[in-house]
Amino acid sequence: MLDIERVSLECEFNNLDHRTDLNGVDRLIVRRGQAFSISLYLRPGTSYEPGTSALTCVAETGPQPSEEYGTRAVFGLSPNIDTSCWSAAVTSPPGDMVALSLCASPQAPIGRYTLRLGSSAEVKLILLYNPWCSGDDVYMERKEDLEEYILAQDGLIYRGDRKFFWGSPWSYGQFESGILDACLRILDMNPKCLRNPGKDHSGRRNPVYVCRVLSAMVNCDDDHGVLRGNWSNDFSGGESPMFWRGSVDILRRWTSSSCAPVKYGQCWVFAAVACTVARALGIPCRVVTNFESAHDSNADLLIECCLNEKFENYHCWVEGWMTRPDLKNPDFNGWQAFDATPQERSDRVYCCGPVPVRAIKEGMLTAKYDAPYVYAEVNADLVFYLQKDDGFKKKIINSTMVGQKISTKRVGSDQREDITHLYKYPEGSVEEREAFKRAGHQNKLLKEPEQGAGLKLSIKVSENMEKGCDFDVFALVSNETDSEKECRLLFLSRVVSYTGVLGENCGFKDLLKVVLPPGGERKVPLKLNYSKYGPELTQDNLIRLAALLQDYTTGNVYLTMRTIVLTNPEIRVRILGEPKENRKLAAEISLKNPLPQPLDMCCFSIEGANLTGGTVLTESLGHSVAPGEEAKAKIYFTPSHSGLRKLVVNFNSSQLCNVQGYKNVIIGK
């Protein structure tokens, strides 16, 4: 066995190589699945001899290290480093100084380690997750993403409402002095560790487990967590949540006060601190804001929330990036939502997640953890309490879908990125309806909802609503009680832009007396005429529908809203000639005018990779196109490479803009 006199941990080199140097270079901080080097200085008269010298290494973490639970690893010298497991190899020639390369398993528990080198040396190190390592569960491929979600120490958190929001700067400070120690202390103070430290330290190999611990420990409701929540207007004995501008002060106060909770936090503060801790431990993380968010207290996909008269509401949580081998579905790898704000208990503890964002989008509510709750935050039906200026609360039952403009900071930019599409399919789409049906079915399996009868209000639309046509939309009112109901129904429509800016009224109906017998139903049409909506419609082709129903008997008010998308006409594309590489082809393009007015200044354009030479080819029509007639053009192009190509086509006119289509073309040699 090598007789070691002293060890140099080469912290400056190793920490820099492992991207932990911003934590300091006074101690060894490395990442899983990546080699690091230390120098062993042998006692006088001894030297390393290849093939004869031996060294047994023992790496241990936690108070009860065990090979069975992965908290203890025993390994010797190998010819080369194996990054898939704990390993060691000598990289220097024979002599009295040994350059030893070591690597921790990419599945090893994170935390503080003692590393024994034979019987004569012992060193300390901190092991973190490694999103640069393909064998690690938190592996993230893109360099730009890693720089944002691991290395960036500041960011923007979006607040306000869906019509007016702003990015509030926040300093995460995960590499500031003392913050990594605070994060490791959070893990050590969690109740699971206090009850069974051996099992808890073993669980730290799994970022899913660690994120679940963080979601519980950043709030203090069940434990010695970091922050106490306060949603009142009285912040005596602490700081208003608006006071904080970063996580560092909060975490330092928590550690310096023997883990007494810091006062006070609200959702964006909880989310920001959770993001700091996750990034410090090596889990890619970002803060997400959900506008028009909702709080499901009984997992029935029906939400009760108190809003002011402007309906301002938002909620912040975090997403961590990791695989989910426990769910046996590779589609569920990637972003996982977890929430440190104490709202509802999960497994008897105030925590939430992590749950795959993809599972929320697909309505897979049996996926762990807390999928029904997160799904409800972005999709459930609402029950509003409308807060009047005089303090009076009026109940409004709303069956519209929630979850608007789900936002996070864009990678490498101070711009906002809308990630709503990661959480839900476009409203009204076939995929959205399928996901919602799936969620409703699975939710019944998870928790049988309370049975109740009353008035039901919904908005029904036809399958195809083409721009330029007159069509009906319907408010469907049903009486599920055993008594007659007399109601007032207000049904209106307004054009809306994708940014949520409402335009003028384009359809309105106010029925003062709607009588419904027991079990009865009434379908109330609202005609949307192109003559009214056409002049107001934006290029987004969006119309917002709202129906308000007042029950004269009970005084209850029901509200439902729906945004519809008007479809553009189809562009037909026909390829003339045999598609071959470097042979000139023609695309014959046509579009039927759907509007009850002529189209002026019509123009077709095409482009496609390896089809149009990297340019946009256009063809303008020199005449107007009457209602019902076809606009036609022929555009020539020469493919430069063989294979399956996509020819993208666009049409614009003064009255009909940004109509898009495409044609798949197989180009031969």
Side-chain angles (χ1 to χ4, degrees), residues 168-224:
S168 296
W170 190 273
S171 174
Y172 297 115
Q174 66 269 29
F175 298 118
E176 294 288 345
S177 175
I179 298 306
L180 178 57
D181 295 289
C183 297
L184 294 173
R185 192 172 185 184
I186 287 173
L187 298 182
D188 291 342
M189 291 299 294
N190 93 83
K192 294 179 180 180
C193 183
L194 298 178
R195 287 194 301 267
N196 190 335
K199 184 178 180 180
D200 174 80
H201 279 74
S202 176
R204 297 181 191 183
R205 72 180 76 186
N206 184 356
V208 175
Y209 174 83
V210 169
C211 285
R212 191 148 176 84
V213 168
L214 295 185
S215 75
M217 282 297 296
V218 171
N219 71 75
C220 69
D221 283 51
D222 305 290
D223 41 48
H224 298 285

Side-chain angles (χ1 to χ4, degrees), residues 489-500:
L489 175 66
L490 185 67
F491 195 14
L492 56 91
S493 63
R494 298 174 71 178
V495 299
V496 63
S497 73
Y498 82 98
T499 58

Side-chain angles (χ1 to χ4, degrees), residues 43-63:
R43 296 188 187 279
T46 63
S47 65
Y48 166 71
E49 297 295 337
T52 60
S53 298
L55 181 68
T56 300
C57 305
V58 180
E60 296 179 332
T61 185

Side-chain angles (χ1 to χ4, degrees), residues 455-467:
L455 292 175
K456 300 295 183 182
L457 176 65
S458 61
I459 294 175
K460 303 296 182 183
V461 299
S462 19
E463 286 293 327
N464 294 308
M465 295 168 287
E466 293 185 356
K467 183 177 181 179

Side-chain angles (χ1 to χ4, degrees), residues 376-589:
E377 289 185 301
V378 298
N379 276 304
D381 294 345
L382 295 182
V383 178
F384 285 121
Y385 288 96
L386 182 62
Q387 181 77 51
K388 298 290 187 180
D389 291 337
D390 60 4
F392 178 74
K393 292 181 181 179
K394 179 66 177 178
K395 187 176 184 180
I396 297 181
I397 301 173
N398 180 3
S399 60
T400 189
M401 301 296 285
V402 301
Q404 303 289 327
K405 289 190 176 359
I406 304 175
S407 304
T408 191
K409 179 185 175 297
R410 187 178 297 277
V411 171
S413 167
D414 285 340
Q415 300 300 310
R416 182 184 74 95
E417 181 179 359
D418 193 312
I419 58 172
T420 308
H421 64 285
L422 299 181
Y423 281 85
K424 54 204 298 188
Y425 286 104
E427 191 168 337
S429 66
V430 173
E431 295 88 350
E432 181 227 14
R433 289 193 292 271
E434 290 176 351
F436 195 70
K437 289 178 183 177
R438 186 160 50 243
H441 173 68
Q442 292 189 3
N443 192 69
K444 290 178 182 178
L445 297 178
L446 292 170
K447 178 179 176 66
E448 190 67 30
E450 295 180 5
Q451 299 298 319
L455 292 175
K456 300 295 183 182
L457 176 65
S458 61
I459 294 175
K460 303 296 182 183
V461 299
S462 19
E463 286 293 327
N464 294 308
M465 295 168 287
E466 293 185 356
K467 183 177 181 179
C469 297
D470 300 339
F471 56 90
D472 289 327
V473 292
F474 302 91
L476 188 63
V477 186
S478 57
N479 178 12
E480 298 184 354
T481 70
D482 55 4
S483 60
E484 184 178 88
K485 289 288 188 179
E486 185 174 322
C487 311
R488 177 184 180 182
L489 175 66
L490 185 67
F491 195 14
L492 56 91
S493 63
R494 298 174 71 178
V495 299
V496 63
S497 73
Y498 82 98
T499 58
V501 178
L502 291 172
E504 294 299 319
N505 181 10
C506 56
F508 179 85
K509 182 173 285 188
D510 189 1
L511 302 181
L512 296 176
K513 188 174 182 180
V514 177
V515 179
L516 296 168
E521 183 177 275
R522 182 165 177 184
K523 195 175 184 180
V524 178
L526 177 65
K527 176 71 74 174
L528 296 184
N529 296 309
Y530 177 75
S531 60
K532 288 187 176 180
Y533 74 75
E536 303 295 333
L537 201 63
T538 70
Q539 294 184 12
D540 308 307
N541 285 1
L542 301 178
I543 296 178
R544 175 76 52 80
L545 307 174
L548 194 70
L549 183 70
Q550 181 181 4
D551 184 345
Y552 288 134
T553 306
T554 64
N556 286 341
V557 180
Y558 300 78
L559 170 69
T560 188
M561 293 182 287
R562 182 167 183 173
T563 300
I564 60 175
V565 182
L566 305 186
T567 59
N568 281 319
E570 179 186 359
I571 297 179
R572 303 180 191 276
V573 182
R574 189 162 68 103
I575 303 299
L576 305 180
E578 184 181 0
K580 282 196 172 184
E581 186 178 304
N582 298 318
R583 176 180 292 182
K584 192 173 185 179
L585 297 174
E588 188 179 74
I589 310 167

Side-chain angles (χ1 to χ4, degrees), residues 260-272:
V262 178
K263 304 175 182 179
Y264 295 101
Q266 291 181 5
C267 67
W268 72 92
V269 186
F270 287 108

